[in-house]
Each structure stands twice: as C-alpha cells, then as structure tokens.
Amino acid sequence: MRDPRYDILFEPVRIGPVTTKNRFFQVPHCNGMGHAMPLAHAAMREVKAEGGWGVISTEECEIHPSSDLTPYVEARLWDDRDIPALALMCDKVHAHGALAALELSHNGPTASNLYSREVLLAPSHQPSKYGYPAQARAMDLHDIAEYRRWHREAAVRGMKAGMDIIYVYAAHDLSLPMHFLQRRRNQRSDAYGGSLENRIRLLREVLQDTREAVGHRCAVALRFATEELLGPGGVELAEAQDIVGMLAELPDLWDVNLAAWYNDSVPSRFAREGAQEPFIDFVRKATTKPVVGVGRFTSPDTMVSQIRRGVIDLIGAARPSIADPYLPRKIEEGRIDDIRECIGCNICVSGDMTISPIRCTQNPSMGEEWRKGWHPERIAPKASEARVLVVGGGPAGLEAARALGQRGYEVHLADARRELGGRVTREARLPGLAEWARVRDWRLGQIGKLANVSTYLDSALTAQDVLDFGADHVVIATGCHWRRDGFGRSHGLGIADFADNARVFTPDDLMDGRWPEGRVVVYDDDYFYTASVVAEALRLRGCEVTYLTPDDTIASWSANTLDYRHIQWRMAELGVVQRVSHLVTGYTGTTLALEHAWSAAASSLECDAVVVVTARLPDDALYQALKAREPEWTDAGIRSVACIGDALAPGLIAHAVYAGHRYAQELDARRDGEVPFKRHFHHDPTRT
Ligand code: ADP
Ligand code: SF4
C-alpha cells in the first residue's frame, strides 16, 4: 500500500470552480495525432486518466484558420464541427474521474497558415518564425478585437466539448499573448506596446475574456514562460516576476515553465530532474492560486519535496506521463519500483517534429492504444504452452522477454556478455547518457519478479546451442555494430583507406575501452546524437577534437529531439572544432584528404585518429546460421525463429524496444497479410 510520506501527492486541489482529485497534472503535450486521429488521441489520453493523473490536458489547440499549424497536427477548434473530436477525449478522461484541460493557442507569427493560406498575424510586422518565405503582418485594433472574439468562442466550444480547465497560453514563444509581451516581437506604440503594462494588456484581456465566457464552469489556467534565456529581447526572469505580480490572482491556475520548447523539455543529457526550479519557484510566493510546474519528475520523493518546499502545488508532467501513464497509480499502490521512468531521450518529441504519431522509448504502447489495442500495463495471456528462447539481452531482447514473461510463457533469455542491457548498458556509460540505463533497469526489475523468465549471462550461443536448447520459438536480438569502412549516406562505396586502418576507430571501440589519443576527427555521416557524444567524451579525455561531417550542420536530426541547440552549445563550450560540408576522400594515418560537398574543392586535415560514425551492420550471424539449418528445426522442436531489433535493422533504442514488445504481443496472434493496425476512416471525403 501507499507510503504515508506520499499522501500529500493525493490531496485534492481546488482550481477555480473545479477540483482535481490529486496533484498529478499531465500538462499539455503534442502527440502527432491531434485533430487528424481523434480516436487514437482520445484513447491515449484515457490510458493516462486510468493511470491516475488528476488532470489530463490536450496539446495546443488552434482557435481559428489564421492559427493553422500545418504540417504539425495539433488539436483544432475552428468551429463547432470540431467539438465532437475533443468531446471524445473529455468523455474518456471523465470516465476515470480526471479533469480535462484545453490549451487554446493562436500562434501568430509562429503559426504557419500553410493549409488555411491566411496571412500570419503578429504584434508588429516581422518574419515568420520557421523560415517560411512570408512575413506576418501587424495587427490593428480591429484584428485584436477579432482575435479576442475567436479566443472567447473557442473557449466556449471547449466548455461544450466538456473541458474543465481552459488555458490561456503565453509560453514557448508560441502564442500571441506572449508575442505581445516580447520586446523583440512587439514594436507597437499604441496601448498594446511599449511599457510592460501595455505589453501585458492583451494577456490580461484574454484572461478576463476567458473568465467571462466560461469561468462559471471552467477554471482558467495561464501557461506562462518565466524566462526565455535570450536576454533583453525575450522574457527575462526579472520582468516575469513583475508580470506575475501584476496578474497574480487573475488566473485560477499558474502553469509555469521556461521558453522555448528546447529549454523546457530539455533532454536528460543536458538537464536533470527538477532543473526548472530556480526559474519558477518565485511564482508560488506571489499568488494564492495553485501553481503547476514541470521537471521530468519521476521520483515521488522529489515530487513531495517540491510541494513541501513550496515550489509548486501540482506535479506537472508530459514526458513522465508518456513513459508511464500509470505513474500516479503505482505511487498510490506503493509500487515505486514498477515506475517506468522517462529516460529524457525526447523520441516522443520527434513524433510531433516529424508529423507522425507519438512514440516513446520506454513505453512501446504509446500511440498504439487505439490502433493496436496495446496497453502499458496489460497484455493478453499466452495462447499456448510454448517455451521461448530469446538470444540477446539488449533493449529488444529484454522487452521481448519481459512482455512474453508477462503473458505467461516460459522464457529463457541468454546473453553473451556478463551484463544485460546490450547497447543501453554500453551507451549509458558515455557522457550525459546515464539515465538511458533506465531502459534496462526497469525491464530487469520486472523480469526479476517473473518466475517464468530465466536469464543466462556469459552465454554466447551458437546455432548448435540453439538447436540443442529445445525451444518452441527462438527470438534473435543480437544487436549490431558500427561499421569501420566509412560506408554510409555519403559514401555508398565506403572509404577505401578506412577499412583496415588501425587509426580508424568506431564508437564500439570506444565503448569497449579502446580510445584514441591526440588530435582526433569524429566523422559523422549519421546525423543524430552519437558523434557529438563521442566528441564530448574525447574532449573530456583531453583530445583535440574536430567534428567533421558531409552534412551542412552537425547533428542535424537532433533538432527533432530538441537536442540540437544544446549540442551546439556543448560543442562550443568544450572547444570542439567544427568542419561541415566536407567528405573524406582518403586517409594516410596522419592526413585526411577532404572534398567540399558543394564546390568539390580539395583540402586536408592533420590528425592522429578518426572515429567513424556512419552506419551500422546487424550482428545477425546466428540468425543466418539458423536459417541455413531450417531443415533441422522440426527435429529440434523449433516452430519459429525470428530476428528483431538492431539485429534485423539497426535503429533507435525506441525501435528495438518496440520490436521486442511487438514480438511478444504477436506471438500466437500474428495475422499476416493484414494492415497491422486500425486506421481512421472517420472523414467522408465526398461530403462537405
Ligand atoms: P538491440 O538494440 O536490438 O536490443 P543490442 O546490441 O542492444 O541490440 O543487444 C544485443 C545483445 O545481444 C548484446 O548484449 C550482445 O551481447 C548479445 N549477443 C550478441 N550475439 C549473441 C549470441 N550469439 N549469443 C548470446 N548473446 C548475444
Ligand atoms: Fe521519456 Fe524518451 Fe519516452 Fe519521451 S520518448 S517520454 S523522453 S523515455
């Protein structure tokens, strides 16, 4: 049962006219499903309500065609026809005793209007934020009145959908009330520009409008950024303190955080649990209204400390609720070690960024609640008495073994190494990635509770071992390794001088303890996190490091996980030299021959070693050997052999966990030849 130390987390909190049953508050988060996939969206939110969150929020919700966020798929309340999609969510959230919250937003110059083709709106004339080749126009007083009307009407629609809390949004550099606040976006000389009182006028008005429109039924929340870390052009802490003082009692709830999003949802590599505290802790002292804040909180002790020390009243969470929708319930039931802690990898964010349904490294059911019927806690019991042998205990093998074990199968998990976790164990030792070990630790904790799962370390299995073992089903999850030959996106024929060169290292060499010294070039044709982590590690070991890439910037894909800017800052801080848009054409062991990606100009770079981060190859020798002996399977009692995760196709840790989970879900249940998930066909494209 619940530890009394955590009782405080389960106290109800009054928020204006509504009361939340506890202090667990799922703050707004994007999910890539939004208005396009309302059934999937509602089912995802429902699982969190079922898991005990007291408040469940939507993502940003567009209020008008001039706030169109295309191609991003968020919520939408342009007119009454958008109400039913959000009512779906409200009904499901209410069914579990939780409150539903709606984050209304009109992003002005940070919208796109790519679908609606409306002209972007802004406090003053200015470029659109995301580099679209059109400017936003300055709003006149009529536009401001219209915007206020749209916001009021959207609030009423939200109330009709069943929302209990309506947000006014002034955070993340993403909404007009915030844009009017920012000196860099507001050069007006009328009553809405200039002095701070003038710059907060719109925010004050919209808060009052919302209260008048829906305040009798709904709480009015203000999501407010206290610091943008941009200096005087942005909202700064000192000014934010004045603003909170001026508006202290106007909203029913303060939801406070840092802007922009990359400073708010910071990856664990760059920020620890509770890192926002110094920027938001003043708010609680300036208002009598409840305050919610975020900090990737997964530890109930940290949560209690935040409340007891008067930092916040409500534990805000996006990522921890994605990684574990049942986090509150687990605390309530005294099952602390069952909490599936977020690792701070931000793969969830990449769903929104790539306009695809949200996925999570830790929680493979995220985004699959409706379309595949997956649940983060429940899984169908086994459909046969099969014994399953899982070879390889990385994220794929661990998750397969865990979920198969949960289904009740007799599971045997063997790994060649003396420790489980595969790549997660190895990568978590690199600078900044320690929390990634949670992928392993949660699974080991769960497996430890399952009597039907046996694990074998130090057990490098051969095809003969597998045939002798006597399993009905065999899962090969033996991982992959980094290539040494330079093959990758930019070098389809590899780099001739790399393959057998003792001065060429791979990330695996480093993780195995074989480190280069002196002047080292990290050659990145992979574009995500690995090269920058390697560069950081080498720098910390005293090497002179050049980050070289054929791409036009370093770590380009990491923009999708909000790592990019932090990586740039870290590389600058560490003195890692960058050389972009260059290909390697040869290496003597002391001199790299380079070619400029666009001009083809030749140049050279002296170095003592190269770490090559280009592509990986599956370690699938065991799988191939077993395939070659398929005629012997029947005699060995083997009914199937599958290859999953990095051993099938190298990918993210998220892909490996997903592959392991999918294997377990589909054992004895796979239906080949069908689309493996439900799709939305709610739109009849022939109707207007
Ligand atoms: P994934 O990301 O797909 O889970 P990893 O590389 O993280 O892959 O994990 C693969 C694991 O498989 C490693 O721990 C490795 O030691 C183990 N392994 C590889 N080959 C064998 C084998 N023949 N027998 C047992 N374990 C193996
Ligand atoms: Fe946390 Fe990563 Fe899951 Fe996002 S994807 S919730 S950061 S574990």
Side-chain angles (χ1 to χ4, degrees), residues 517-566:
E517 286 176 359
R519 298 162 304 169
V520 184
V521 168
V522 179
Y523 187 52
D524 183 21
D525 202 16
D526 170 66
Y527 310 154
F528 193 20
Y529 62 89
T530 308
S532 70
V533 173
V534 163
E536 181 171 349
L538 290 164
R539 200 69 196 97
L540 295 175
R541 294 173 70 90
C543 299
E544 267 179 49
V545 181
T546 301
Y547 188 137
L548 176 72
T549 178
D551 205 0
D552 291 334
T553 182
I554 65 165
S556 55
W557 203 83
S558 71
N560 293 313
T561 53
L562 308 177
D563 279 284
Y564 177 73
R565 286 164 192 266
H566 298 285

Side-chain angles (χ1 to χ4, degrees), residues 207-497:
L207 282 165
Q208 282 160 345
D209 291 344
T210 311
R211 182 182 296 292
E212 276 162 32
V214 300
H216 56 294
R217 285 238 326 256
C218 305
V220 179
L222 171 55
R223 195 158 206 215
F224 178 69
T226 60
E227 175 61 86
E228 289 190 275
L229 303 173
L230 291 175
V235 174
E236 289 183 287
L237 198 50
E239 194 176 69
Q241 285 165 342
D242 291 341
I243 296 170
V244 173
M246 291 157 92
L247 301 178
E249 302 301 311
L250 200 49
D252 297 313
L253 172 77
W254 283 88
D255 176 343
V256 286
N257 61 5
L258 266 71
W261 194 12
Y262 57 81
N263 284 325
D264 183 18
S265 300
V266 183
S268 60
R269 184 175 166 195
F270 304 104
R272 59 180 206 297
E273 183 179 30
Q276 300 202 14
E277 183 177 326
F279 298 100
I280 57 111
D281 61 353
F282 71 93
V283 181
R284 181 72 182 67
K285 298 171 188 78
T287 176
T288 64
K289 304 297 169 115
V291 177
V292 57
V294 291
R296 213 161 45 74
F297 298 119
T298 56
S299 148
D301 294 315
T302 308
M303 296 174 194
V304 169
S305 155
Q306 292 275 314
I307 293 164
R308 292 227 182 273
R309 290 185 297 113
V311 182
I312 48 180
D313 301 286
L314 295 152
I315 303 300
R319 289 173 293 175
S321 76
I322 294 166
D324 197 341
Y326 267 53
L327 189 150
R329 238 166 118 163
K330 289 175 182 175
I331 298 174
E332 188 162 29
E333 292 167 5
R335 297 163 48 211
I336 305 303
D337 56 354
D338 286 338
I339 295 173
R340 199 184 310 102
E341 290 184 286
C342 166
I343 69 165
C345 62
N346 281 5
I347 291 303
C348 49
V349 172
S350 76
D352 187 54
M353 295 293 197
T354 56
I355 307 117
S356 47
I358 187 169
R359 67 188 309 165
C360 168
T361 301
Q362 274 284 54
N363 173 13
S365 72
M366 180 47 52
E368 301 288 14
E369 300 84 354
W370 176 78
R371 67 177 197 171
K372 284 192 168 172
W374 290 3
H375 190 277
E377 302 301 312
R378 296 189 292 271
I379 191 165
K382 65 181 175 181
S384 72
E385 289 306 314
R387 278 180 104 201
V388 188
L389 172 63
V390 181
V391 187
L398 278 177
E399 175 61 13
R402 185 206 66 77
L404 288 165
Q406 191 187 2
R407 292 190 64 187
Y409 288 102
E410 179 188 328
V411 183
H412 300 270
L413 171 64
D415 197 287
R417 292 180 181 262
R418 290 206 178 88
E419 53 185 1
L420 288 167
R423 63 179 287 187
V424 165
T425 297
R426 288 155 63 74
E427 290 182 38
R429 293 194 190 109
L430 294 171
L433 304 187
E435 283 193 29
W436 292 18
R438 292 172 170 184
V439 170
R440 170 199 66 204
D441 295 341
W442 180 75
R443 290 175 173 79
L444 286 182
Q446 299 298 299
I447 287 172
K449 296 180 186 183
L450 293 166
N452 51 324
V453 182
S454 319
T455 52
Y456 311 89
L457 298 180
D458 216 357
S459 304
L461 302 191
T462 62
Q464 190 59 46
D465 295 332
V466 173
L467 289 166
D468 291 343
F469 190 82
D472 299 284
H473 301 285
V474 179
V475 190
I476 306 296
T478 45
C480 65
H481 63 273
W482 286 96
R483 298 179 72 129
R484 199 179 297 277
D485 59 6
F487 175 92
R489 293 186 170 96
S490 305
H491 299 275
L493 303 177
I495 299 169
D497 295 340

Side-chain angles (χ1 to χ4, degrees), residues 16 40 157 198 392 403 421 429 498 538 676:
R157 285 186 202 110
N198 281 356
R429 293 194 190 109
F498 274 11
L538 290 164

Side-chain angles (χ1 to χ4, degrees), residues 58 66 75 143 362 380 590 678:
T58 61
S66 63
D143 296 321
Q362 274 284 54
T590 53
K678 287 195 283 184

Side-chain angles (χ1 to χ4, degrees), residues 55 64 89 100 118 192 309 345 354 379 510 553 614 661 679:
V55 180
H64 183 262
M89 162 185 159
E118 295 294 319
Y192 289 93
R309 290 185 297 113
C345 62
T354 56
I379 191 165
L510 276 44
T553 182
T614 57
H661 191 80
R679 287 183 287 163

